[in-house]
Amino acid sequence: MGVNPARVGLLFGGRSVEHEVSVVSARGIARGLREGGLEAVPIAVSPDGRWLSPELSATILGDGRAVAEPSGGEDDRVRIAVDPGGGGLVRIRTGGPAEPLALDAVFPIIHGWGGEDGRLQGLLELSGLPYVGAGVCGSAVAMDKEMARAVLERRGVPMVPWRAVRAEEFDDDPGRLCGDLAAELGFPMFVKPANGGSSVGIRRVREASTLADAVRHALEHDRKAVVERGVDAREIECAVLGNERPEASIPGEIVPGAEFYTYEDKYLDGAAELRVPAALEPEIAERVRSLAIVAYRGLDLAGMARVDFFVERDGGRVLFNEANTLPGFTPISMYSKLWEATGVPYGELVRRLVELAVRRHAAARRLRTRRTDA
């Protein structure tokens, strides 16, 4: 494989609650790959986990479907599989030989569970193919809000007071746990699944009477939740691009249409306002960009991430919220809009991400994997 990729596998869909978001992102990336002079080879993953043929996947992207469901017929006899040890991805027909898909790289845009939490990244590592985005460790840690915060607190990154809650801890004594949370964090507070995205499972809690229900709701989506103190703050986001020497975009601001940036606000109602660039004092904007790089490096990320912050209205303190390693990627998503405003158009951004993946893969292959004599 050369350093100039031509055929890029576009993995989208998946088994998480963010399946529909992934399909929309994939449509934008397919256009971006073409604009960047690359061939997109779509590979949809159905809600039950099946990897569908490029032909059916292209149909799903083209006909406006929200869910990557197989439609029967010829594709029932076709499977896409990983051939570990450098074989990449192969097409397997019932009763026939395996056929390599001959990809130069993979652009995974499967959001949420199984797609950006290290599972898919591990599979792609075994395939021997370069892939866009963070590796196994960075993806897993960034996805887990408890782990990410613990890592970044050690590096001095400021954040709101928070606490992790495990399902068994809540089940043992909900009343005592909720009393401890109220005393430790106060109201209002936010309760979130520790692993998740697109604001699924999040609730804002104003009083003690609704706290237990909010924790229970979050634990329906994950085995642990993160509870954090609510602050009067603006929601600021910064896009990061690169491997060893990452660059940060100008910051943007989310102005929610609801009391916080909900799933409906992001994908259904369209009531949220994206302000690019964010109206920040220059020193605060620079603080956001600097902390975005610190968080990116601290979480061992690569390729891309959108790092989200709170900026307190009183005093302008910048507080880390979370890092998204595979953010929404339509031409009107915040990640791409921030880079466009910083001077990197959509097609160029997509191509640069693929090139970063190829370079990172090449650097990893130069590392020793066997013992040698000193």
Side-chain angles (χ1 to χ4, degrees), residues 79-353:
R79 294 289 184 273
I80 303 299
V82 172
D83 183 10
L89 301 184
V90 297
R91 181 204 311 263
I92 302 175
R93 298 181 186 274
T94 302
E99 306 168 6
L101 289 183
L103 302 175
D104 295 314
V106 174
F107 199 131
I109 197 64
I110 296 178
H111 303 300
W113 185 93
E116 57 182 309
D117 55 8
R119 291 177 172 90
L120 178 59
Q121 288 71 24
L123 188 67
L124 293 173
E125 291 282 355
L126 293 176
S127 79
L129 286 168
Y131 59 91
V132 170
V136 176
C137 177
S139 297
V141 173
M143 184 72 173
D144 189 309
K145 295 176 177 64
E146 179 191 12
M147 294 295 101
R149 292 176 185 214
V151 167
L152 294 181
E153 275 188 329
R154 291 283 299 259
R155 291 177 175 259
V157 175
M159 59 192 71
V160 298
W162 64 282
R163 176 175 165 180
V165 174
R166 282 162 171 72
E168 61 272 17
E169 181 185 11
F170 178 74
D171 292 339
D172 286 346
D173 195 338
R176 179 177 178 179
L177 175 64
C178 289
D180 290 346
L181 290 172
E184 182 179 344
L185 299 176
F187 296 96
M189 64 177 74
F190 283 90
V191 183
K192 310 174 179 181
N195 290 272
S198 292
S199 300
V200 174
I202 297 179
R203 286 188 178 175
R204 186 175 191 264
V205 180
R206 299 186 185 87
E207 56 189 25
S209 63
T210 59
L211 179 55
D213 283 343
V215 174
R216 191 175 292 110
H217 178 66
L219 292 174
E220 291 174 356
H221 296 273
D222 191 22
R223 64 183 180 86
K224 59 183 180 178
V226 165
V227 185
E228 65 184 27
R229 179 182 297 167
V231 292
D232 183 18
R234 300 162 65 185
E235 297 189 37
I236 303 297
E237 301 184 345
C238 186
V240 183
L241 175 69
N243 292 338
E244 295 82 6
R245 296 178 177 82
E247 305 171 61
S249 73
I250 61 173
E253 181 174 6
I254 300 291
V255 181
E259 60 182 357
F260 67 96
Y261 198 26
T262 63
Y263 182 96
E264 290 76 16
D265 218 5
K266 292 176 180 179
Y267 305 116
L268 301 179
D269 300 336
E273 181 183 352
L274 309 184
R275 295 178 180 174
V276 181
L280 297 170
E281 296 294 328
E283 60 272 17
I284 295 178
E286 189 53 39
R287 175 70 169 158
V288 168
R289 298 179 75 178
S290 174
L291 282 175
I293 296 296
V294 171
Y296 192 85
R297 286 179 165 149
L299 296 173
D300 192 27
L301 304 185
M304 67 171 165
R306 196 195 69 235
V307 187
D308 300 346
F309 297 93
F310 299 122
V311 174
E312 289 185 317
R313 298 183 192 279
D314 183 11
R317 189 166 59 131
V318 180
L319 304 168
F320 172 81
N321 180 19
E322 63 182 16
N324 297 273
T325 57
L326 290 178
F329 212 99
T330 71
I332 60 171
S333 293
M334 183 61 102
Y335 185 85
S336 55
K337 286 174 69 71
L338 288 173
W339 278 115
E340 183 178 26
T342 309
V344 183
Y346 191 83
E348 180 184 339
L349 177 62
V350 171
R351 183 176 183 90
R352 282 180 63 175
L353 284 166

Side-chain angles (χ1 to χ4, degrees), residues 10-31 42-47 52 56-69 108-111 263 267 327-331 346:
L10 177 56
L11 267 170
F12 66 96
R15 298 176 62 184
S16 84
V17 295
E18 297 177 81
H19 180 103
E20 293 88 347
V21 181
S22 174
V23 175
V24 176
S25 290
R27 289 194 176 99
I29 293 170
R31 291 192 296 271
I43 303 169
V45 180
S46 69
L52 309 180
L56 176 56
S57 302
T59 301
I60 291 168
L61 286 185
D63 66 9
R65 263 187 273 175
V67 179
E69 290 277 20
I109 197 64
I110 296 178
H111 303 300
Y263 182 96
Y267 305 116
F329 212 99
T330 71
Y346 191 83

